[in-house]
Amino acid sequence: MASFSPFRWPRIAFFSVLLVALYAGVNCIDIFHEWSVTADTSAVYPNTYNQPVIRINGMFPGPLINATTNDVVHVNIFNNIDEPLLFTWNGIQQRLNSWQDGVSGTNCPIQPGKNWTYVFQTKDQIGTFTYFPSLNFHKAAGGFGPIRVNNRNVILVPFPKPEAEFDLLIGDWMSDDYRQIRQALQDESVSHVYPGVILMNGKGPYGSQYSTSYESFNVTKGKIYRFRISNVGTVFSFNFRIQKHRMVLVETEGSYTNQIVLDSLDVHVGQSYSVLVTANQDEADYYMVATPKLFNIDNHDSLVAKGILHYENSVLPVQGPIPDGPDPFDVDFSIDQAKSIRWNMSTGAARPNPQGTFNVTNVTLSQTFILHGSRVVINGVPSYVVNNVSYLTPSTPLKLADYFRNGSGIYQLDAFPVHSPNDIASYGVSVVTGVHKGWLEIVFKNDISDEMDSWHLDGFGFYVVGFGEGEWTPESRSTYNLYDPVVRSTVQVYPGRWTAVYVFLDNPGMWNLRSQNLVHWYLGQELYVRVHDPDPNPAKERPPPPNLLLCGMFDDALAPVANAPAPQAGW
């Protein structure tokens, strides 16, 4: 890594002063974290298999980031693993500040033995989110943790204050060394990689001979509790339920929802929800269960995640079988539930005005992307593609290339097909234009008949307006819900079906659009949306941070091109 050359520092120092000014007057506090990130088998692992686990300050999962709307979070990360490292903040919108997004297209990695400090603001957000390492299949080894963004005191929460809040990170876990798995993924004969267990907060299933511990939550009869549930896994969607208890859905990824009562909840990879649970049963212990979707768990008991809801004064262990859930292959159940999750139009969230002030009933679309996800083989290597293009990560982050060289030599803007697949599958550095302050419609089409997928867009929340089967056509818009679609950052796409979202591109930056299925993402199912505001005012998009890392074509600290034009299609 090179540092800035001396003649560049005055410009950055000036921008740093402006950055401080931008934060001035905002009702917020600074929150500081210092993380030592390690990967070893010496202390903590979720089951009896000896494999490396990525831990933060010795913890797996990592520590909670507990912030309030508009707070500024500082995370100083010391990379003590033997590979380059980045963290991304799943669902934090990084308003005007994609420099802190922590994916390969925006940041140079933190090299082994080095440290780097992220500084980002939870601007105009509330809700339940997660973080995780974004490079080199690292998420399969852990390193993930919870993020809470709480309401400011002046903003009413649309439900009674719970007795306590619990973070519940659930996800599938592969029982092999992540380095061996990512190597195996290069083998054409390996069509699928299946996890060996589903964990709750990094702990194995209750009662399993292979678990080193299990998760348990203590509650008091008559009290109400908020569970912030996130799918931090790699492959499986899951269905979650609690024996003899119902749940009230109240929030998902920063949006308060209409409150609906559920016996069980489907949570797809990368998604987060908040539910309220009332401890209204006899004082005893009860199963908390998560089972995979689209998978037969017969003879796979380890893929039934089991924790315990423990009542104060309970002397009774869990009784009977685990609670039944929906048929894991019942796609209609899952779709119907997804359609029932609606935006609460009458409540505020990060701001005092109701969420429903921002609605999509009469928007004019500026762009439509139709993105087909599929599995192919390119030059003998298994790959996942978007419109038959598998993303090829350049050594220079796109954001650096965009800022200092207008993308020249790194990517060709708008060479990626946004309406239909190319005839021949290939690799490419996929970067597309998003019209600044325009409305973008994205139709995600899952062309794989036997795999669930989920998609995430950094920098934004999107309105989930439609689910459908078969091929999408413009006439499919007649089925959209434009009145109260929920706003979130990760949405599921069912096998052989499509999901449609609207997004308002008011956040300039270089933004990652990816599959949250880790195998799909690692093998190329992603692209970047470049939202450009030509106004150099740092109030429109923040300048590079003063600690910016350089790599790739900027490793020699070459001077930037001043006042160069924006990239054009075909560069």
Side-chain angles (χ1 to χ4, degrees):
M1 294 291 172
S3 60
F4 277 113
S5 57
F7 55 81
R8 192 183 293 171
W9 271 107
R11 181 184 183 187
I12 297 301
F14 170 71
F15 282 152
S16 299
V17 171
L18 288 176
L19 183 59
V20 171
L22 289 171
Y23 286 130
V26 176
N27 183 18
C28 63
I29 64 171
D30 289 276
I31 297 172
F32 294 90
H33 288 264
E34 189 166 289
W35 291 357
S36 172
V37 181
T38 57
D40 55 60
T41 60
S42 61
V44 178
Y45 43 93
N47 52 42
T48 56
Y49 300 106
N50 197 8
Q51 64 184 122
V53 175
I54 295 179
R55 297 178 292 149
I56 301 172
N57 297 342
M59 299 170 60
F60 171 66
L64 168 68
I65 295 178
N66 195 16
T68 296
T69 302
N70 296 333
D71 284 352
V72 180
V73 180
H74 307 248
V75 186
N76 186 11
I77 294 178
F78 290 81
N79 179 9
N80 292 316
I81 69 174
D82 60 2
E83 297 181 341
L85 180 69
L86 281 178
F87 277 83
T88 193
W89 320 95
N90 199 58
I92 300 299
Q93 293 182 7
Q94 308 291 354
R95 299 293 300 175
L96 313 179
N97 198 20
S98 63
W99 299 102
Q100 308 290 337
D101 201 30
V103 289
S104 67
T106 57
N107 293 90
C108 295
I110 308 166
Q111 294 299 318
K114 303 295 184 181
N115 71 293
W116 194 71
T117 302
Y118 290 88
V119 182
F120 59 87
Q121 187 178 27
T122 55
K123 177 69 173 170
D124 290 336
Q125 286 191 267
I126 57 95
T128 304
F129 309 98
T130 58
Y131 60 80
F132 55 82
S134 64
L135 299 180
N136 297 323
F137 212 67
H138 287 156
K139 187 187 176 189
F144 47 76
I147 301 175
R148 300 181 193 172
V149 184
N150 305 293
N151 284 64
R152 293 182 294 144
N153 290 334
V154 296
I155 307 297
L156 295 177
V157 177
F159 49 83
K161 181 177 176 61
E163 179 70 13
E165 297 190 19
F166 299 120
D167 299 296
L168 183 49
L169 308 184
I170 304 175
D172 56 63
W173 182 260
M174 298 184 184
S175 299
D176 293 315
D177 188 319
Y178 71 96
R179 293 165 295 194
Q180 297 173 354
I181 298 170
R182 72 186 184 199
Q183 181 63 36
L185 291 173
Q186 307 302 313
D187 187 341
E188 186 175 352
S189 65
V190 178
S191 59
H192 291 85
V193 176
Y194 286 117
V197 65
I198 294 182
L199 307 178
M200 288 186 174
N201 284 344
K203 300 173 184 178
Y206 170 83
S208 171
Q209 61 179 321
Y210 301 108
S211 299
T212 58
S213 61
Y214 65 88
E215 186 58 291
S216 179
F217 296 97
N218 297 325
V219 298
T220 300
K221 185 176 175 65
K223 302 293 186 180
I224 298 174
Y225 297 85
R226 180 177 183 174
F227 284 86
R228 295 175 180 260
I229 304 166
S230 297
N231 187 333
V232 293
T234 61
V235 175
F236 285 136
S237 303
F238 63 76
N239 178 267
F240 175 78
R241 60 253 187 208
I242 304 174
Q243 186 180 29
K244 294 187 176 180
H245 291 75
R246 307 187 85 183
M247 300 173 286
V248 179
L249 181 67
V250 295
E251 179 260 336
T252 180
E253 296 161 31
S255 292
Y256 288 124
T257 64
N258 288 341
Q259 296 179 18
I260 55 176
V261 179
L262 301 171
D263 293 314
S264 70
L265 174 64
D266 282 358
V267 187
H268 305 276
V269 178
Q271 290 185 338
S272 296
Y273 287 96
S274 287
V275 298
L276 300 181
V277 177
T278 301
N280 56 7
Q281 298 298 310
D282 293 337
E283 292 181 313
D285 288 1
Y286 298 90
Y287 282 115
M288 308 178 72
V289 176
T291 50
K293 306 289 293 183
L294 300 181
F295 190 83
N296 188 343
I297 60 173
D298 293 345
N299 302 317
H300 293 89
D301 188 60
S302 63
L303 289 175
V304 179
K306 287 177 279 190
I308 301 297
L309 187 71
H310 173 78
Y311 275 64
E312 184 182 19
N313 301 322
S314 168
V315 294
L316 294 176
V318 287
Q319 303 289 317
I322 64 171
D324 289 333
D327 183 331
F329 295 94
D330 186 349
V331 172
D332 289 336
F333 164 85
S334 189
I335 293 174
D336 288 344
Q337 184 178 87
K339 288 181 177 180
S340 74
I341 298 172
R342 303 293 186 95
W343 217 24
N344 185 331
M345 303 288 281
S346 61
T347 189
R351 300 174 181 175
N353 47 312
Q355 291 178 147
T357 304
F358 311 96
N359 68 72
V360 294
T361 54
N362 293 304
V363 304
T364 299
L365 296 173
S366 300
Q367 298 172 277
T368 296
F369 296 168
I370 303 171
L371 305 180
H372 291 250
S374 58
R375 183 175 58 228
V376 300
V377 175
I378 303 175
N379 300 328
V381 179
S383 303
Y384 282 83
V385 293
V386 188
N387 286 353
N388 246 353
V389 180
S390 183
Y391 185 78
L392 186 65
T393 304
S395 60
T396 302
L398 304 173
K399 185 63 179 174
L400 268 67
D402 185 54
Y403 186 81
F404 293 124
R405 285 288 184 271
N406 301 298
S408 179
I410 300 299
Y411 69 84
Q412 292 182 319
L413 186 62
D414 295 327
F416 174 84
V418 295
H419 295 124
S420 60
N422 284 340
D423 292 336
I424 299 174
S426 62
Y427 296 109
V429 182
S430 307
V431 185
V432 297
T433 294
V435 176
H436 182 232
K437 293 191 175 179
W439 281 95
L440 168 64
E441 175 186 41
I442 309 176
V443 179
F444 300 106
K445 177 63 166 62
N446 184 359
D447 289 339
I448 304 173
S449 62
D450 59 349
E451 292 185 34
M452 182 76 78
D453 208 350
S454 60
W455 279 86
H456 174 89
L457 176 60
D458 286 350
F460 304 92
F462 43 50
Y463 296 74
V464 183
V465 296
F467 298 92
E469 58 184 322
E471 293 301 319
W472 180 92
T473 67
E475 289 70 33
S476 302
R477 293 182 181 127
S478 65
T479 68
Y480 286 1
N481 167 30
L482 299 182
Y483 175 68
D484 57 358
V486 72
V487 179
R488 62 187 316 155
S489 59
T490 298
V491 68
Q492 69 271 29
V493 191
Y494 296 91
R497 303 193 181 213
W498 56 262
T499 300
V501 302
Y502 285 179
V503 56
F504 184 54
L505 300 179
D506 62 340
N507 191 15
M510 185 71 72
W511 301 112
N512 186 237
L513 179 59
R514 63 175 176 269
S515 172
Q516 294 279 52
N517 181 308
L518 187 60
V519 174
H520 295 189
W521 185 15
Y522 181 69
L523 294 180
Q525 199 166 302
E526 65 176 316
L527 63 146
Y528 282 81
V529 180
R530 179 184 185 267
V531 181
H532 180 66
D533 183 350
D535 187 343
N537 183 347
K540 301 294 183 68
E541 183 181 5
R542 290 176 184 155
N547 64 342
L548 181 69
L549 295 176
L550 299 180
C551 56
M553 71 183 299
F554 301 110
D555 207 21
D556 294 327
L558 298 175
V561 174
N563 301 317
Q568 301 298 314
W571 278 37

